[in-house]
Amino acid sequence: MLLLALDTATPAVTVALHDGTDVIASSSQVDARRHGELLLPAVDRVLAEAGLKLDAVTGIVVGIGPGPYTGLRVGLMTADTFGLALGVPVHGLCTLDALAYAADIEKGPFVVATDARRKEVYWAKYADSRTRLTDPAVDRPADIAERVTGLPAVGAGALLYPDTFPQAHAPEHVSAAALASLAAGKLAAGEELQAPRPLYLRRPDAQVPKNYKVVTPK
């Protein structure tokens, strides 16, 4: 097994290689506006660090979000393209699950929350680092305060809203190393991963203007 893992659902552009036993190379950069620019050089970097070529990869795992439309689609389209070019399977994995796994909290419950912008968070509740209790959702922090009160929390969304998440701590962003390790463990156990399809949870920011004026040539 040689898994290439990547995630662009958060401001982190993160890539890793996993050989079925350990992460053998990884790269993470935080820049919410340069996912498309940074992702492919990061793939080249981890391959070079591992001394491998892209054709050695036997599977792709990609974070499916939830996340903002523009950033998320960069990772998903890249994963699909690699999968088609190499003829290897492409697996999806919830980005919040990878953050929960990286948190390495043995006993829960706890919350993972990422920044959804618009003064909202993407979030889910976990029993432990591998067991999600609720479906991913998007909400204003104040609207879920009673549901998460007293619980530890991880992720940039939790750190942004200390009134709702007073016990927030690192990791702030997802890492492809955690994504790859979680996926490798699930695949080794014979678990079926999700399809590599985006988990948006809401409409994209860009909208067709209403009542726009149609201009036709005379």
Side-chain angles (χ1 to χ4, degrees):
M1 178 189 292
L2 184 65
L3 282 179
L4 173 65
L6 51 96
D7 194 297
T8 58
T10 74
V13 179
T14 180
V15 179
L17 285 171
H18 197 290
D19 65 3
T21 302
D22 294 301
V23 174
I24 58 174
S26 63
S27 170
S28 291
Q29 294 172 271
V30 177
D31 192 325
R33 297 182 179 276
R34 299 174 64 210
H35 291 93
E37 181 181 343
L38 296 175
L39 183 57
L40 290 180
V43 172
D44 288 342
R45 196 158 49 247
V46 297
L47 288 168
E49 182 181 335
L52 297 168
K53 300 292 186 182
L54 185 61
D55 60 9
V57 170
T58 62
I60 313 289
V61 58
V62 59
I64 62 171
Y69 176 79
T70 303
L72 186 54
R73 68 178 179 176
V74 171
L76 286 161
M77 290 301 297
T78 301
D80 278 345
T81 300
F82 282 157
L84 285 171
L86 298 171
V88 300
V90 181
H91 309 284
L93 197 62
C94 176
T95 298
L96 300 181
D97 291 355
L99 260 167
Y101 183 80
D104 197 26
I105 298 175
E106 292 185 6
K107 293 185 67 175
F110 68 97
V111 177
V112 174
T114 59
D115 182 16
R117 305 174 186 170
R118 303 184 192 173
K119 298 182 180 179
E120 294 178 330
V121 294
Y122 297 117
W123 71 284
K125 188 185 294 186
Y126 290 79
D128 55 52
S129 61
R130 292 174 177 264
T131 309
R132 178 157 35 89
L133 296 173
T134 63
D135 289 334
V138 58
D139 290 288
R140 289 182 177 272
D143 293 341
I144 60 171
E146 291 186 3
R147 300 168 64 183
V148 302
T149 185
L151 298 181
V154 299
L159 292 166
L160 276 172
Y161 301 99
D163 289 345
T164 300
F165 305 102
Q167 300 183 56
H169 57 84
E172 183 175 2
H173 301 299
V174 69
S175 75
L179 190 80
S181 296
L182 180 58
K186 286 178 175 289
L187 290 171
E191 294 184 40
E192 188 171 332
L193 301 185
Q194 294 169 265
R197 296 295 175 262
L199 190 60
Y200 290 132
L201 299 187
R202 69 183 183 202
R203 296 173 65 85
D205 292 336
Q207 301 289 332
V208 175
K210 294 180 180 179
N211 303 317
Y212 63 91
K213 206 178 277 187
V214 177
V215 178
T216 54
K218 293 182 178 180

